[in-house]
Amino acid sequence: MKYVTSGIAMLSLTIAFGVLVTAAVFAKDVKSTKRAAEEATAQPEPAAVKRAQKLVKELDNIFKQTIVLITDKYVHDEEDFAAGSAAVLLFETISEGGDNKVRLLDVTGEPYDPENVAQDAFEKEGVSRLKKGAAGYEQVVEKEGLSYLRSMTPVPVVMQKCVMCHPHYEGVKKGAPIGAISYTVPID
């Protein structure tokens, strides 16, 4: 009987030890999971956001100058390939080939191509703000544990040639946006 009692005591101690170890491991896993969740929802460093903003500003300048240059040098009549169409193709190629996503959007309500309209809540809010006169709109978002800067900038009519392909731009007030460029860039 002495050995049975000792065996039961040993078994009880082993079970108690196992429960304690399991509880400690579980508590550690909960803390690790909680820490990982906090890190995943943590805001990116301000310096990283500034780098992403600088990249968007540089891309925006390049893209808008390219559209103006194409319109000025290559669009002479209605039969020529429109600069906006060239921009859409360029942006699709850039978006498919890398981490930066770029889209050209119509904000007039009369898109040249039905695909070139606001697709999500961010773009819809951006269009609304740009039409009210905002110089731009941006937001830091999280997707699959990574941070991105979403940004939109206005595209106004800058040349009379724009009206050649888009007659509905004729009455647009100078400086008012007829389009927007939507960017999604990683924050590194």
Side-chain angles (χ1 to χ4, degrees), residues 67-132:
I67 293 169
V68 169
L69 181 67
I70 291 170
T71 301
D72 184 47
K73 301 297 180 194
Y74 300 103
V75 178
H76 304 292
D77 60 49
E78 292 179 27
E79 301 301 316
D80 291 331
F81 192 64
S85 297
V88 168
L89 292 174
L90 173 65
F91 296 165
E92 285 175 0
T93 302
I94 289 167
S95 296
E96 290 170 2
D99 294 332
N100 300 316
K101 308 300 179 207
V102 190
R103 286 182 10 92
L104 181 63
L105 308 176
D106 172 86
V107 302
T108 67
E110 297 181 50
Y112 194 71
D113 182 332
E115 293 289 316
N116 300 341
V117 296
Q119 300 280 325
D120 60 22
F122 171 82
E123 289 180 345
K124 290 174 183 172
E125 179 65 23
V127 166
S128 174
R129 290 184 185 210
L130 295 178
K131 288 175 81 170
K132 291 177 183 172

Side-chain angles (χ1 to χ4, degrees), residues 162-181:
C162 297
V163 178
M164 185 171 42
C165 294
H166 304 278
H168 60 285
Y169 294 170
E170 184 73 53
V172 175
K173 183 178 167 185
K174 185 175 181 173
I178 47 107
I181 301 178

Side-chain angles (χ1 to χ4, degrees), residues 1-11:
M1 189 68 147
K2 183 177 173 182
Y3 295 112
V4 172
T5 306
S6 294
I8 292 173
M10 247 343 214
L11 181 60

Side-chain angles (χ1 to χ4, degrees), residues 18-19 21 29 41 44 46 48 58-59 67 77 95 101 116 118 147 152 156 168:
V19 168
V21 168
D29 285 345
T41 60
E58 291 170 355
L59 291 173
I67 293 169
D77 60 49
S95 296
K101 308 300 179 207
N116 300 341
S147 297
M152 283 183 69
H168 60 285

Side-chain angles (χ1 to χ4, degrees), residues 31-72:
K31 286 180 184 176
S32 295
T33 302
K34 185 177 178 184
R35 190 175 328 115
E38 288 170 356
E39 289 172 2
T41 60
Q43 290 295 316
E45 293 292 322
V49 173
K50 286 193 183 298
R51 285 191 300 273
Q53 289 169 326
K54 182 179 178 188
L55 174 62
V56 166
K57 187 175 181 180
E58 291 170 355
L59 291 173
D60 197 54
N61 183 45
I62 291 167
F63 295 150
K64 287 178 180 170
Q65 294 304 321
T66 300
I67 293 169
V68 169
L69 181 67
I70 291 170
T71 301
D72 184 47

